Amino acid sequence: MEKTSLWIIHPLNIERPNKSYEFSIKLPAHFKKCKAVGFSVLENLLSPKAVTKHFGEISLQFNSRRVFPVHTGVEYKKIYRKKTRELLDINVALVPNQIVSGFYSDYGKTYDAISEDFEPYTLNLYFQCTTATEIPQETTK
Amino acid sequence: MRELKYQLIKVTVQEQNFLAKFSTNLDKQYKKVTGIHVSLPDDALIGSTIYLKMAGKEIFPEGFEVKMISSGQEISPNDRFFNDIEEPAEGNLIEGNFKDRTYSPDRAASIQYPYDVLIYLKLEEKA
């Protein structure tokens, strides 16, 4: 039953504003495909100043930088009212033992409600993968 | 026509930051699980996490946020299910835990404890 997804969750702790954070992740060798990715912010951004849709951007490269499927803004949704998935389909065929790398750039838009200082937060990166071997044609570059 | 069943697991959360464990058996009359949906009593709880195993296989890892497999009531019941799953049912054990987590003290104040989390499973193919 290969339809069931395998998940990797990689947290990024964003401690300083307007800074880029590089990351490098080694996915398990038996993962054959990354179907989708998701980005989730854990902390509540309380200040009215912080109610901004985009507060950072992220770039992902797979297979040791040979595949570059995603460079996108990271959005914050204050109220969750939509269909189930918060995921972006990418369908990248994974080469075993290669790394996923990239960077996240914070826009400095999160403020503490009282002090109005920068409010640190955690960005969770979700990788929805599978051990299935079939690869859609459009994923190979 | 395929026969469907929706199995419900109710998990009670007693207090803030509570870790609620659950364990039960999937309906032995059905062959596979093809969908899952978690229903929460308040949107402020979407940062809560769920850990889930079926027949000993990890389905969602520790720290998996419920919002990935949840939705609002304005979504039709059929569309609420997370469908990227296919695991044998057939009486297998389903177990895991739900960890209460709210985003902030302000939001936590709106939560009425205890509350129930409803985990819906979509089962197919009557044996």
Side-chain angles (χ1 to χ4, degrees):
Chain A
M1 302 228 178
E2 293 181 330
K3 188 179 177 185
T4 301
S5 299
L6 302 164
W7 296 87
I8 295 291
I9 306 172
H10 185 82
L12 289 179
N13 294 318
I14 311 303
E15 304 286 351
R16 295 172 58 194
N18 300 304
K19 186 176 179 300
S20 287
Y21 296 80
E22 293 186 358
F23 54 86
S24 179
I25 306 157
K26 189 168 185 178
L27 301 178
H30 66 287
F31 285 18
K32 295 293 191 291
K33 183 171 71 170
C34 187
K35 297 164 63 178
V37 292
F39 315 110
S40 173
V41 175
L42 295 182
E43 269 60 44
N44 192 33
L45 313 177
L46 293 174
S47 167
K49 289 175 68 178
V51 182
T52 177
K53 188 177 177 184
H54 297 101
F55 57 90
E57 64 185 61
I58 193 163
S59 174
L60 290 178
Q61 296 170 314
F62 286 76
N63 298 336
S64 298
R65 301 188 175 182
R66 284 198 289 269
V67 183
F68 181 19
V70 179
H71 185 180
T72 184
V74 175
E75 300 177 355
Y76 177 70
K77 300 182 182 67
K78 200 158 181 78
I79 298 176
Y80 185 71
R81 283 287 181 193
K82 57 181 299 218
K83 177 77 171 74
T84 56
R85 300 207 315 163
E86 289 285 310
L87 298 170
L88 184 66
D89 290 336
I90 56 170
N91 285 327
V92 172
L94 298 173
V95 177
N97 299 313
Q98 301 293 301
I99 61 169
V100 180
S101 60
F103 66 88
Y104 171 72
S105 294
D106 174 74
Y107 288 171
K109 300 289 187 184
T110 64
Y111 295 87
D112 180 85
I114 299 171
S115 68
E116 298 206 338
D117 291 334
F118 175 77
E119 178 80 356
Y121 58 96
T122 299
L123 176 69
N124 268 349
L125 313 183
Y126 283 81
F127 297 89
Q128 184 189 20
C129 302
T130 177
T131 57
T133 52
E134 82 284 2
I135 304 298
Q137 194 69 34
E138 64 270 21
T139 62
T140 54
K141 289 190 174 181
Chain B
M1 182 179 292
R2 59 184 182 162
E3 288 192 56
L4 300 175
K5 171 179 176 150
Y6 297 95
Q7 183 172 347
L8 177 64
I9 300 173
K10 187 169 78 171
V11 181
T12 301
V13 176
Q14 301 290 350
E15 58 192 11
Q16 195 172 358
N17 299 319
F18 190 79
L19 180 70
K21 295 182 178 180
F22 58 88
S23 175
T24 188
N25 290 97
L26 296 161
D27 193 317
K28 63 184 179 184
Q29 296 189 67
Y30 289 81
K31 289 186 178 176
K32 57 188 181 182
V33 180
T34 58
I36 184 169
H37 166 62
V38 176
S39 178
L40 301 167
D42 193 305
D43 283 344
L45 294 165
I46 59 171
S48 300
T49 61
I50 187 168
Y51 174 73
L52 190 68
K53 288 171 73 177
M54 292 184 194
K57 177 181 176 182
E58 182 180 275
I59 305 299
F60 300 128
E62 294 282 359
F64 192 90
E65 294 161 84
V66 170
K67 71 177 177 181
M68 306 298 282
I69 51 172
S70 186
S71 67
Q73 288 180 318
E74 77 286 0
I75 303 298
S76 71
N78 272 336
D79 291 334
R80 292 176 192 170
F81 283 85
F82 176 82
N83 296 317
D84 284 352
I85 182 173
E86 187 172 309
E87 289 299 315
E90 300 172 325
N92 282 318
L93 184 68
I94 177 171
E95 58 188 329
N97 62 59
F98 176 90
K99 178 74 163 58
D100 172 89
R101 187 177 188 280
T102 46
Y103 282 115
S104 69
D106 285 357
R107 302 296 292 272
S110 70
I111 309 297
Q112 299 284 323
Y113 293 94
Y115 65 82
D116 290 331
V117 176
L118 303 178
I119 302 171
Y120 294 90
L121 301 166
K122 184 179 181 181
L123 279 62
E124 294 190 31
E125 293 184 25
K126 196 166 186 177

